[in-house]
Amino acid sequence: PQLIVSAQRHFESVLRCRPKTRFERESDRPPPVSLDPQHATACVTQATANGGTKERVFELDAVYPETSTQQELFEGSVRHLVLGALEGRSCTILAFGPTGTGKRHTLFGGPAPEEEGLLPRTFDALA
């Protein structure tokens, strides 16, 4: 049997961090995640059982810090999927994470026009 490997990518991992909550801003604890958008990496700092910390670095296709806009996320990581769908390719956008991490806001957006989420922006792109 012959093994055929496609040069196309079938999965993209993107991380978007939401803005800090009031509690997080008032806390003197460092953030648990630091991002490097240029290198598309996220460094997660975890507490260890002996009172120290452990860092784990994850490489992704794109990372968006808490200051990123809905428009930046859409243009950088979603528009090409919409265009691919118009060409007949299947695509899925999955927002995953614990409660309160911004999934609903990312997908649906907020009340202001610039806060429009990925789904309304996708429908606008299809129109």
Side-chain angles (χ1 to χ4, degrees):
Q2 183 180 10
L3 177 64
I4 300 174
V5 178
S6 171
Q8 293 182 335
R9 299 180 59 186
H10 296 285
F11 182 85
E12 290 182 31
S13 57
V14 176
L15 174 67
R16 181 184 193 190
C17 286
R18 62 159 171 75
K20 293 178 184 174
T21 64
R22 185 184 67 189
F23 174 77
E24 291 166 336
R25 286 190 306 269
E26 293 171 355
S27 168
D28 60 349
R29 295 188 315 190
V33 178
S34 59
L35 304 179
D36 181 353
Q38 271 191 321
H39 296 101
T41 58
C43 179
V44 178
T45 304
Q46 298 172 306
T48 60
N50 63 2
T53 59
K54 175 182 170 184
E55 289 187 343
R56 296 178 65 191
V57 177
F58 297 91
E59 294 181 15
L60 301 119
D61 293 296
V63 295
Y64 295 89
E66 63 185 54
T67 57
S68 64
T69 65
Q70 299 277 56
Q71 183 67 26
E72 290 169 338
L73 178 61
F74 181 78
E75 293 298 335
S77 293
V78 177
R79 182 177 290 280
H80 72 278
L81 296 174
V82 174
L83 297 175
L86 290 173
E87 294 174 352
R89 285 186 238 130
S90 296
C91 63
T92 300
I93 298 171
L94 173 68
F96 178 78
T99 300
T101 56
K103 300 176 299 292
R104 181 178 297 163
H105 178 77
T106 296
L107 290 176
F108 298 102
E114 66 273 4
E115 292 180 10
E116 194 172 59
L118 299 181
L119 290 177
R121 289 175 192 274
T122 296
F123 295 135
D124 288 346
L126 292 172

